[in-house]
């Protein structure tokens, strides 16, 4: 699930079929859902747990594992697919210097410069090798900083690489190894916080990229941000579910959702004040957290929403999808399984 500036976009699974939907009235009595594309006709499993979305260049981009194409939803909510084969089984994607960058294995694929229309991928000619010094699983990629100092940060399960992009001749881009010991456990834990990046390391500890780099340069071990709450996080985080840690930034608050003890889904949240360095929590939620969604859709400053991490039963039109607004005990979509919605 994701959103644009004026609408929710949801990928909904219906048995063997999936579909892509949007609503132009997220908070009205009738959500006015409209199907944008039939998932089966495009052979894109947008309902997969490993599918992910990216908002960039004024458009909305959807990638899915096992597919040789990607979707783009433009500002007019028209759906098109990539004109070249996107990398199969992508791990993550980001946007920098008017290009899409897609992480798959130890390769970072990139598009031609993006116009309004969907640019093509050329897998044979447009990729960079981001292999770490030893074999490791790729986890996430994110663009860091802005302007001429911008770069790409590639997280592996036990290391971190930086790609300094030469946008005129991408093949001449250079790499730095930022850490050979600190990695990342969850793509959804990576969050930009001002000029820093916060992420969950391979042990479930919450770390600052800037502090990690400083420690590497000085040859000292740097405490994670979560050191003060280590008995709870990562102490009570379920080890087999570290990949489900999901972070979100809301104003100055960093919210960290995680699966605790015997839970298989994120039901607990720890909260970190990024300016004061203070932790709060633990907050226990009655429903699992699927995706965090930041939004200015009401025009009253940014709100924070999250999707329910599980399907709440099914009806004639398919499963229900519920979106909650934080800090109000309120759901936006009480039941979108009516005939006018997914």
């Amino acid at each position: 699930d994701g959103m644009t500036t004026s609408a929710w976009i949801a990928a909904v699974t219906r048995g063997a079929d999936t579909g892509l939907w949007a609503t132009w009235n997220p908070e009205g009595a009738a959500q006015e859902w409209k199907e944008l594309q039939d998932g089966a006709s495009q052979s894109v499993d947008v309902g997969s747990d490993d599918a992910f979305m990216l908002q960039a260049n004024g458009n909305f981009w959807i990638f899915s594992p096992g597919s040789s194409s990607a979707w783009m939803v433009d500002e007019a909510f028209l759906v098109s697919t990539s004109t070249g084969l996107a990398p199969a089984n992508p791990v993550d994607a980001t946007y920098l210097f008017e290009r899409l960058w897609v992480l798959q294995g130890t390769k970072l694929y990139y598009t031609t410069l993006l116009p309004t229309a969907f640019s093509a991928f050329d897998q044979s000619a447009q990729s960079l090798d981001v292999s770490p010094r030893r074999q490791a699983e790729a986890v996430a990629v994110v663009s860091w900083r802005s302007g001429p100092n911008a770069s790409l940060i590639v997280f592996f399960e036990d290391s971190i690489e930086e790609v300094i992009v030469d946008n005129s001749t991408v093949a001449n881009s250079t790499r730095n190894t930022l850490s050979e010991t600190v990695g990342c456990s969850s793509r959804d834990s990576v969050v930009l916080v001002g000029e820093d990046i916060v992420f969950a390391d391979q042990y479930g500890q919450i770390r600052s990229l800037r502090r990690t780099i400083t420690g590497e340069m000085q040859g000292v071990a740097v405490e994670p941000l979560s050191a003060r709450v280590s008995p709870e996080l990562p102490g009570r985080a379920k080890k087999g579910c570290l990949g489900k840690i999901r972070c979100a930034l809301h104003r100055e608050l960093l919210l960290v959702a995680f699966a605790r003890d015997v839970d298989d889904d994120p039901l607990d949240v720890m909260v970190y004040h990024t300016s004061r360095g203070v932790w709060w929590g633990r907050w226990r939620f009655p429903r699992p957290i699927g995706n965090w969604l930041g939004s200015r859709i009401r025009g009253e400053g940014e709100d924070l929403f999250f999707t329910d991490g599980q399907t709440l039963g099914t009806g004639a039109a398919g499963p229900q999808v519920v979106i909650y607004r934080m800090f109000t005990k309120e759901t936006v979509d009480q039941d979108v399984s009516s005939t006018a919605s997914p």
Side-chain angles (χ1 to χ4, degrees):
D1 305 305
M3 68 162 302
T4 67
T5 55
S6 60
W8 296 109
I9 293 181
V12 180
T13 302
R14 290 181 173 177
D17 192 13
T18 57
L20 190 64
W21 298 71
T23 175
W24 284 261
N25 186 21
E27 301 188 60
Q31 277 76 42
E32 301 176 7
W33 287 91
K34 177 181 178 182
E35 188 167 19
L36 300 181
Q37 189 71 49
D38 181 354
S41 67
Q42 292 293 336
S43 299
V44 178
D45 185 11
V46 295
S48 166
D49 289 338
D50 294 323
F52 58 91
M53 300 182 180
L54 170 69
Q55 191 170 353
N57 196 43
N59 300 310
F60 207 72
W61 313 81
I62 301 100
F63 295 87
S64 185
S67 172
S68 59
S69 63
W71 285 9
M72 182 191 78
V73 183
D74 63 21
E75 293 178 331
F77 297 97
L78 299 177
V79 180
S80 58
T81 57
S82 53
T83 55
L85 295 180
N89 300 311
V91 172
D92 198 8
T94 191
Y95 177 76
L96 181 68
F97 296 144
E98 299 183 333
R99 300 181 192 271
L100 289 181
W101 303 80
V102 181
L103 179 63
Q104 187 259 352
T106 58
K107 294 285 188 180
L108 192 57
Y109 296 90
Y110 55 93
T111 63
T112 53
L113 293 175
L114 287 175
T116 302
F118 208 148
S119 291
F121 288 91
D122 183 351
Q123 293 189 45
S124 63
Q126 294 176 186
S127 69
L128 297 175
D129 184 3
V130 291
S131 303
R133 293 182 184 272
R134 57 184 182 274
Q135 292 296 322
E137 182 179 347
V139 177
V141 60
V142 63
S143 56
W144 188 32
R145 298 178 297 223
S146 58
N149 294 323
S151 62
L152 296 168
I153 304 299
V154 183
F155 290 93
F156 290 88
E157 59 186 355
D158 57 6
S159 62
I160 306 172
E161 300 282 329
E162 179 182 24
V163 179
I164 301 170
V165 177
D166 182 338
N167 203 38
S168 60
T169 308
V170 180
N172 293 337
S173 301
T174 57
R175 283 173 51 198
N176 290 326
T177 298
L178 300 181
S179 177
E180 294 184 343
T181 57
V182 175
C184 180
S185 59
S186 170
R187 177 186 68 199
D188 295 333
S189 73
V190 180
V191 175
L192 289 169
V193 181
E195 291 294 308
D196 201 357
I197 298 175
V198 172
F199 62 98
D201 70 13
Q202 63 266 50
Y203 307 109
Q205 303 172 115
I206 306 303
R207 290 189 177 271
S208 153
L209 180 63
R210 282 190 174 276
R211 292 178 60 177
T212 299
I213 294 172
T214 299
E216 294 284 342
M217 293 175 62
Q218 297 176 349
V220 298
V222 176
E223 278 193 341
L225 298 178
S226 57
R228 295 181 181 179
V229 292
S230 58
E232 184 67 40
L233 184 66
R236 301 290 293 272
K238 188 173 183 178
K239 297 302 180 283
C241 295
L242 296 182
K244 295 183 178 181
I245 295 176
R246 297 183 173 114
C247 297
L249 183 67
H250 179 61
R251 300 186 177 96
E252 294 183 307
L253 301 181
L254 177 75
L255 289 86
V256 183
F258 65 103
R260 187 174 187 265
D261 293 341
V262 298
D263 294 332
D264 291 325
D265 295 296
L267 286 161
D268 292 89
V269 173
M270 297 295 292
V271 183
Y272 178 70
H273 197 291
T274 58
S275 297
R276 301 176 184 174
V278 176
W279 284 91
W280 293 296
R282 171 184 53 94
W283 296 351
R284 179 73 174 179
F285 282 56
R287 299 295 307 167
I289 293 170
N291 292 310
W292 294 111
L293 305 167
S295 166
R296 295 182 182 274
I297 207 162
R298 294 194 304 167
E300 301 173 3
E302 184 170 283
D303 286 325
L304 183 66
F305 301 81
F306 71 92
T307 58
D308 197 300
Q310 296 179 355
T311 298
L312 298 177
T314 58
Q320 294 181 16
V321 176
V322 178
I323 301 171
Y324 300 90
R325 181 185 296 114
M326 285 290 294
F327 310 116
T328 66
K329 300 181 180 179
E330 178 181 340
T331 61
V332 176
D333 297 329
Q334 292 287 355
D335 180 3
V336 297
S337 59
S338 66
T339 55
S341 65

